Amino acid sequence: MWKQNTNNPLENAKLQMQQAFETHPDFVQYQDQFAKLFYPDRTIEISIPVRMDDGTLQIFTGYRSQHSDIRGPYKGGIRFHQDVNADEVKALSVWMTIKTAVVDIPLWGGKGWVIVDPRSLSRNELEQLSRWYVRWLYKYLGKDTDIPAPDVNTSGSIMAWMMDEYSLLNGEYTPGSFTGKPLSVGGSLGRKEATAQWGIYVLEQILSYSWEKIAGKKVIIQGTGNVGGIAAELFHKSGAKVVGLSDIDGCIADENGLNIPEIFKQKKLGKKITDTPGVKKIDASDFFSLESDIVVPAALENQITVENAGTIRAKIVLELANGPTTKEADEILFSKNILVIPDILANAWGVVVSYFEQIQNNTNHYWTAEKVDAHLQETMKKAAQWVYETAKSHDTFLRSGAYIVALQRIFEAMADRGK
Ligand code: GLU
């Protein structure tokens, strides 16, 4: 089981961007825009009343941080999790602005959160919570205003309830108000695999610059949810060996490669990954130091820290989670010559497919899986190339390369709008 780190993610985001800002000499003219970047346009806190199944009333705290809508509506997931503070939501909304700018889509940053452990709620309680979230925030949301999506512990069904509530309040079917919905109510093909598939395409693209391939590589993955679980299956299919896997129930390892299809088959039946027969259970403190080629954090923020970065033996870290590496840990990885494929590039697909979903909803014309995949590959290739080449030309690491690409677009748009 991994622990929630107390590092302040907004500070972390600032430090990362400061570094990119200083790397690019032309950015001096954008001092004001840079300073403004760390202040979301607004962060709304709400108290959500839920009548529990046992008749009692419980109040949950929720947030929506709208970072910036300089060249498109606010966009970003809603997370249901017990550990959060407002700074974390703000940092995550800044990241969404950066992420959408790296891949160059006309949606900007937002993020939402409800402090709750959704596993402690019944289906009915979860639905009430989701609908109330929309009721309280209704006037701040909308297909041209702010479009939420799933994130940690939220799903397509939650988005469907939220879109339904929004449509009721709006007086018309408004599928473009939420993305990540089930296919039956305006979801896009290709969503389910979205984040993990994109991350693996990005990895393939970056590996191709040095004539390398995924097949045969040893991979360790932190997280077995929407992102980590699908990444494990996709790595397995590509011929990589998943030698370590961890989630809230614990960490498992097998140097010959875990039987991923079987583990996930059992997981769907309600088994814990640690119940898998024949696997070695290891301590969380030993997880990242397992012998591997690629480490994939696909869970929460601040998991690779000064305490464990030095023990990583892999050559590549593929950040599928948002902000999984602290600034200090990043420097340790850099000094060890470990290539970090940063979150803002590696996990951007969720929001890219959200953009495709929105286009389909707003035009009421739906794409084939082939069309989604073709657009995905085209967007991914351009983004990976921009980041790789920018990092190379500034003699810096990929994270700074990605920030430079994003900041350039953000600053220009802010300056042009007189912000
Ligand atoms: N939760 C995903 C992310 O953090 C998707 C956000 C979205 O589609 O708006 O990138």
Side-chain angles (χ1 to χ4, degrees):
M1 200 172 109
W2 62 81
K3 62 178 186 286
Q4 185 86 19
N5 199 290
T6 49
N7 260 312
N8 180 329
L10 191 57
E11 286 308 314
N12 213 17
K14 276 185 198 169
L15 289 169
Q16 289 175 343
M17 273 184 258
Q18 184 73 40
Q19 182 150 20
F21 186 77
E22 284 162 10
T23 308
H24 198 307
D26 293 351
F27 285 168
V28 261
Q29 59 180 309
Y30 297 122
Q31 289 286 357
D32 290 349
Q33 283 81 5
F34 187 58
K36 164 74 183 70
L37 207 57
F38 301 104
Y39 295 90
D41 292 346
R42 60 175 81 85
T43 301
I44 309 154
E45 181 178 324
I46 55 175
S47 305
I48 309 171
V50 176
R51 181 69 61 194
M52 307 300 279
D53 293 348
D54 65 5
T56 58
L57 187 77
Q58 261 194 48
I59 312 288
F60 296 91
T61 304
Y63 299 92
R64 186 75 186 164
S65 176
Q66 299 183 324
H67 175 246
S68 172
D69 66 348
I70 297 283
R71 52 169 211 166
Y74 306 106
K75 184 83 193 84
I78 301 173
R79 183 174 293 199
F80 284 178
H81 201 276
Q82 57 277 29
D83 301 312
V84 72
N85 60 53
D87 265 357
E88 208 157 339
V89 189
K90 287 183 194 170
L92 289 165
S93 69
V94 179
W95 263 310
M96 289 308 297
T97 295
I98 299 285
K99 222 194 268 189
T100 51
V102 173
V103 291
D104 203 17
I105 58 173
L107 297 167
W108 279 41
K111 201 83 182 191
W113 204 309
V114 178
I115 303 179
V116 60
D117 177 357
R119 296 184 306 175
S120 67
L121 299 187
S122 70
R123 191 174 184 281
N124 170 54
E125 292 161 348
L126 197 60
E127 180 173 348
Q128 294 313 313
L129 180 73
S130 308
R131 288 184 182 274
W132 271 106
Y133 185 87
V134 178
R135 281 175 212 156
W136 274 168
L137 289 169
Y138 171 69
K139 65 176 179 173
Y140 298 101
L141 302 176
K143 69 180 177 60
D144 300 313
T145 316
D146 182 352
I147 308 119
D151 201 84
V152 176
N153 292 339
T154 46
S155 60
S157 345
I158 292 177
M159 293 307 116
W161 290 328
M162 289 185 165
M163 182 276 281
D164 183 68
E165 193 63 33
Y166 185 89
S167 297
L168 286 171
L169 294 166
N170 198 32
E172 62 186 43
Y173 177 53
T174 320
S177 54
F178 285 81
T179 59
K181 303 178 296 295
L183 282 176
S184 57
V185 284
S188 178
L189 288 167
R191 172 95 211 180
K192 192 166 163 277
E193 298 77 14
T195 301
Q197 179 65 80
W198 166 282
I200 287 170
Y201 281 157
V202 171
L203 175 66
E204 265 168 359
Q205 181 76 14
I206 301 279
L207 286 177
S208 75
Y209 298 132
S210 48
W211 308 101
E212 289 215 51
K213 288 204 159 35
I214 291 180
K217 296 266 185 301
K218 289 184 173 177
V219 186
I220 61 179
I221 301 175
Q222 186 196 44
T224 57
N226 288 342
V227 182
I230 291 174
E233 298 190 45
L234 292 174
F235 270 114
H236 181 78
K237 271 195 207 141
S238 317
K241 276 189 203 163
V242 180
V243 294
L245 190 65
S246 80
D247 68 9
I248 190 133
D249 296 317
C251 309
I252 56 173
D254 184 340
E255 60 191 31
N256 299 315
L258 293 159
N259 185 344
I260 294 298
E262 186 56 27
I263 291 174
F264 283 91
K265 198 170 126 203
Q266 295 302 327
K267 196 171 179 296
K268 277 179 200 127
L269 298 172
K271 289 254 163 61
K272 295 178 176 174
I273 60 166
T274 43
D275 292 337
T276 314
V279 297
K280 200 158 71 180
K281 288 179 204 100
I282 56 166
D283 274 356
S285 53
D286 297 329
F287 184 67
F288 285 124
S289 60
L290 286 170
E291 204 210 307
S292 64
D293 301 300
I294 304 167
V295 168
V296 185
L300 297 173
E301 297 84 56
N302 297 327
Q303 299 301 312
I304 302 182
T305 64
V306 271
E307 278 120 59
N308 57 26
T311 69
I312 291 183
R313 294 201 262 168
K315 280 273 143 256
I316 295 179
V317 172
L318 176 68
E319 294 185 335
L320 294 189
N322 287 313
T325 311
T326 66
K327 173 79 171 58
E328 297 78 19
D330 219 18
E331 276 157 19
I332 298 173
L333 298 180
F334 187 58
S335 71
K336 290 181 66 180
N337 223 356
I338 297 174
L339 182 74
V340 179
I341 305 182
D343 49 0
I344 49 172
L345 173 65
N347 72 19
W349 170 241
V351 73
V352 175
V353 82
S354 277
Y355 171 51
F356 297 164
E357 183 174 334
Q358 249 234 318
I359 297 174
Q360 296 170 72
N361 293 153
N362 297 345
T363 55
N364 206 12
H365 175 75
Y366 287 83
W367 299 359
T368 59
E370 290 71 32
K371 181 163 173 178
V372 174
D373 197 59
H375 279 270
L376 152 70
Q377 302 237 23
E378 191 192 321
T379 314
M380 179 282 302
K381 266 208 181 111
K382 276 197 272 180
Q385 216 156 342
W386 287 322
V387 169
Y388 186 79
E389 279 164 13
T390 307
K392 235 171 122 183
S393 68
H394 287 87
D395 194 20
T396 184
F397 43 113
L398 292 181
R399 190 183 316 278
S400 280
Y403 278 117
I404 292 171
V405 167
L407 289 176
Q408 184 91 51
R409 292 193 176 119
I410 293 167
F411 291 155
E412 271 176 31
M414 286 173 93
D416 285 346
R417 276 192 63 172
K419 303 277 178 181

